Amino acid sequence: MTKPLVAIRSVSKNFGEFQALKSVSLDVWPGEVMCLIGASGSGKTTLLRCINQLAIIDSGGIWLDGELLGVREQNGRLHRLGEREIGRQRLKTGMVFQRFNLFPHKTALENIIEGPLQVQGRKADEVRAEALELLRRVGLSAKADSYPAQLSGGQQQRVAIARALAMKPMLMLFDEPTSALDPELVGEVLAVMKELAKSGMTMMVVTHELGFAREVADRVVYMDQGAIVEQGRASEVLGAPREERTKAFLSAVI
Amino acid sequence: MKPAPALAGGFPDLSGMRIAREPHWLRWIGAALIVLVLAAIVRAFANGQIEWSYVSRFITAKVILEGIVNTMVMAVLAMALGIFLGIVVAIMRLSPNPVLKTVAGGYTWLFRGTPLILQLLLWFNLALVFPTIGIPGLWSARAVDVMTPFLAALLGLGINQGAYTSEVMRAGMLSVDIGQYEAAQAIGMGRLRALRRIILPQAMRVVIPPLGNEFIGMVKATSLASVIQYPEVLHNAENIYYANSRVIELLIVAGLWYLLVVSILTPLQMLLERRFARGTLRVAR
């Protein structure tokens, strides 16, 4: 029997008084495309950020590929991992941000090869060839030498996806990847994500694009006030929600 | 109501008319006044008790040239030390480690809080506190031999500069979007690598104008090292006028050299700014 790629167990996270996550448990299976939906403040972005340790959980545990994240168990106590270990664990996930966060002083190509060269220490010519192939895959072969400021939002986000893929992650995390885009640029980014989903990549996508969720997601998870309210196949959660809160959210969004 | 005609009449045709040049009388009067004042100042100095032949003779004198070279060497080395310390201290200041934070804060407090000339005198007179310095059992020397005017000036100017530069650097790092740290972390970078590869290059764009300012300040601050016998240009000019009593002439010589150096630095700063502005639209176009 296969094991979940990500196992989240009883994870809580507070920001001061605010409970961002309240004992959340969830599994993500290899090859699965999961869409997380919910109002802002519902905890979906925090959950994503906890998986690649940009946010540190207060209690509970997250296992990625069977490895406990951020801490090590020893004699019945948990010890925080060092920066190096956390960096190594982060390499298993690729993160795509709402605001792209490309490095503005580097070209599209330089953005993509930065991680493989500097962090993974791989060979320059090999990394470069892969980066050019990734740029081709996201439809930006002509923009290799452009700086982020010379690219549209949609193009920047596609470079950001290529940058995350260059680290060869097992899991791609998308944090509202189209929310900062002009409406006419959303489609090109979603198209790249659809292609990625088809290629078998395991993906967790925080999104407000219900059309994308309906079409691509294997599972839709609806969160509210730091907890998972309802989850299931896209057709079920989006088409015939059981929970009142899910119904209210969907009718407000559509 | 009748449908309106395509365009209403009664408005004259202005196409082909030029905008007239304004005479700007006040500007002309102002400029004339300034020229007059300047001419009066020049005339006063020309007729004053200044022997201009001394200025032209000493401006290229060997001692003066050596002095300006020493000034530049000290300014560059002390600024390099200041920038190095500034970056280190700024990183310490922004670190989550409370020990590093406090040490960095204390350093800035101490060296910004006392006059530079006092610090120079302290370094130069260190031998009064520690007659011999060294590493126990390995090496030791008499402090008067080690603490030359050069070393005292370098330490005094550089360490003082570091306290100011650390604040400039900290401002530069804070100006970089938090998302850049997160993106660097997300591709597995540790804190120091992210700072070196991602944050500092972007911070440089912001800090170069204030650093250029600081460097110009440093060129002139080296003149304070004349009090501890460092042979920079002002010190050498003073030595000459102690001998020949041509005080004003030699001060003018030193002043002209400072002006020349600072004038050369400004375009250099612009070149640097352009280098670090990579990726911003203004130059990318």
Side-chain angles (χ1 to χ4, degrees):
Chain A
M1 198 187 131
T2 54
K3 280 187 172 174
L5 182 60
V6 186
I8 300 167
R9 293 294 178 271
S10 312
V11 164
S12 294
K13 169 73 184 172
N14 300 332
F15 294 106
E17 294 287 293
F18 179 69
Q19 286 185 291
L21 294 174
K22 298 172 194 165
S23 192
V24 171
S25 296
L26 185 69
D27 282 336
V28 186
W29 297 90
E32 186 177 31
V33 177
M34 174 187 284
C35 281
L36 297 146
I37 61 170
S40 60
S42 60
K44 54 199 195 307
T45 289
T46 304
L47 187 62
L48 219 58
R49 291 168 61 85
C50 286
I51 293 173
N52 80 342
Q53 306 186 57
L54 288 176
I56 306 295
I57 61 176
D58 294 330
S59 64
I62 302 176
W63 285 259
L64 175 63
D65 189 28
E67 187 184 6
L68 182 58
L69 294 183
V71 286
R72 170 172 47 86
E73 198 194 327
Q74 200 174 10
N75 305 330
R77 297 181 82 172
L78 295 176
H79 300 268
R80 278 205 203 291
L81 296 180
E83 190 178 65
R84 190 176 292 265
E85 283 294 290
I86 289 176
R88 184 184 58 74
Q89 291 184 337
R90 279 201 183 106
L91 294 184
K92 293 184 181 176
T93 59
M95 180 86 172
V96 176
F97 298 89
Q98 182 177 358
R99 301 213 47 90
F100 331 137
N101 295 352
L102 289 181
F103 306 131
H105 59 304
K106 294 183 181 296
T107 63
L109 185 69
E110 288 168 348
N111 263 278
I112 298 172
I113 63 179
E114 179 72 13
L117 278 186
Q118 295 293 326
V119 180
Q120 295 177 323
R122 294 171 49 205
K123 280 209 206 80
D125 45 353
E126 173 192 315
V127 166
R128 215 184 129 80
E130 278 179 20
L132 290 171
E133 167 59 21
L134 281 170
L135 275 173
R136 193 198 57 74
R137 199 168 157 196
V138 299
L140 291 173
S141 290
K143 300 290 185 185
D145 296 322
S146 299
Y147 285 96
Q150 296 167 309
L151 301 174
S152 74
Q155 291 170 335
Q156 288 189 51
Q157 193 61 298
R158 287 187 279 156
V159 173
I161 293 172
R163 177 175 70 179
L165 288 174
M167 309 298 287
K168 304 192 175 170
M170 320 171 80
L171 169 71
M172 283 287 284
L173 305 169
F174 293 85
D175 181 15
E176 302 198 23
T178 58
S179 297
L181 294 175
D182 291 337
E184 77 274 19
L185 304 177
V186 169
E188 63 191 56
V189 172
L190 292 182
V192 167
M193 292 168 61
K194 278 178 205 166
E195 188 269 331
L196 194 57
K198 244 184 240 155
S199 76
M201 174 62 77
T202 313
M203 296 163 62
M204 290 179 80
V205 186
V206 169
T207 188
H208 297 295
E209 296 289 335
L210 297 185
F212 174 81
R214 198 171 285 122
E215 190 181 341
V216 182
D218 298 308
R219 183 152 45 131
V220 171
V221 174
Y222 170 67
M223 291 183 70
D224 187 35
Q225 294 179 14
I228 293 172
V229 175
E230 183 167 356
Q231 57 173 308
R233 282 210 301 250
S235 55
E236 296 165 5
V237 177
L238 299 176
R242 280 166 287 134
E243 299 289 330
E244 283 307 316
R245 279 191 282 174
T246 318
K247 284 178 195 165
F249 172 75
L250 289 174
S251 65
V253 176
I254 298 167
Chain B
M1 205 175 117
K2 280 195 297 183
L7 285 172
F11 297 95
D13 181 13
L14 297 184
S15 59
M17 282 195 201
R18 294 259 192 88
I19 304 223
R21 283 190 127 202
E22 299 298 321
H24 294 302
W25 294 116
L26 276 178
R27 286 186 198 173
W28 284 105
I29 294 168
L33 277 175
I34 289 167
V35 168
L36 272 179
V37 170
L38 285 179
I41 292 173
V42 168
R43 188 164 168 274
F45 272 90
N47 295 337
Q49 299 195 352
I50 297 176
E51 282 292 338
W52 288 97
S53 62
Y54 277 91
V55 174
S56 59
R57 193 197 310 168
F58 280 104
I59 195 134
T60 53
K62 188 159 170 280
V63 187
I64 294 293
L65 292 182
E66 281 169 3
I68 195 69
V69 167
N70 285 339
T71 293
M72 287 314 296
V73 166
M74 181 53 66
V76 168
L77 291 181
M79 194 68 195
L81 178 61
I83 290 176
F84 171 75
L85 287 174
I87 291 175
V88 170
V89 171
I91 290 173
M92 286 166 69
R93 200 99 197 255
L94 294 174
S95 136
N97 182 333
V99 178
L100 294 180
K101 244 187 203 169
T102 311
V103 169
Y107 164 80
T108 311
W109 170 78
L110 183 64
F111 287 96
R112 273 200 317 189
T114 49
L116 176 53
I117 195 160
L118 183 145
Q119 292 173 33
L120 286 168
L121 288 168
L122 276 178
W123 284 112
F124 189 53
N125 292 303
L126 202 67
L128 299 176
V129 192
F130 310 107
T132 56
I133 50 176
I135 308 156
L138 277 177
W139 168 83
S140 78
R142 293 196 317 151
V144 269
D145 297 336
V146 176
M147 199 49 76
T148 57
F150 174 84
L151 188 61
L154 178 63
L155 290 176
L157 292 167
I159 292 174
N160 181 268
Q161 186 61 48
Y164 286 92
T165 305
S166 72
E167 287 295 277
V168 173
M169 287 292 172
R170 192 164 70 95
M173 288 185 216
L174 289 176
S175 77
V176 178
D177 186 69
I178 184 83
Q180 293 289 313
Y181 286 91
E182 295 188 340
Q185 286 182 324
I187 58 170
M189 286 191 174
R191 218 179 91 78
L192 285 182
R193 196 197 300 268
L195 279 170
R196 188 167 54 82
R197 298 283 311 172
I198 306 301
I199 307 303
L200 281 176
Q202 293 181 58
M204 286 315 282
R205 198 169 69 80
V206 181
V207 302
I208 283 175
L211 277 190
N213 216 14
E214 299 269 305
F215 186 57
I216 286 171
M218 171 62 84
V219 169
K220 293 175 295 177
T222 53
S223 63
L224 291 177
S226 61
V227 301
I228 56 168
Q229 314 305 320
Y230 179 69
E232 48 74 51
V233 68
L234 183 65
H235 182 261
N236 290 2
E238 284 176 332
N239 278 347
I240 297 173
Y241 72 59
Y242 291 148
N244 70 2
S245 302
R246 292 291 168 187
V247 177
I248 297 296
E249 288 81 351
L250 280 146
L251 289 179
I252 289 174
V253 164
L256 287 174
W257 272 112
Y258 283 117
L259 271 179
L260 181 72
V261 166
V262 171
S263 309
I264 293 170
L265 288 177
T266 312
L268 282 181
Q269 180 186 332
M270 282 173 66
L271 282 181
L272 259 188
E273 277 181 36
R274 218 171 286 173
R275 169 74 177 75
F276 280 102
R278 258 180 319 168
T280 57
L281 265 187
R282 266 179 304 165
V283 278
R285 269 184 193 141

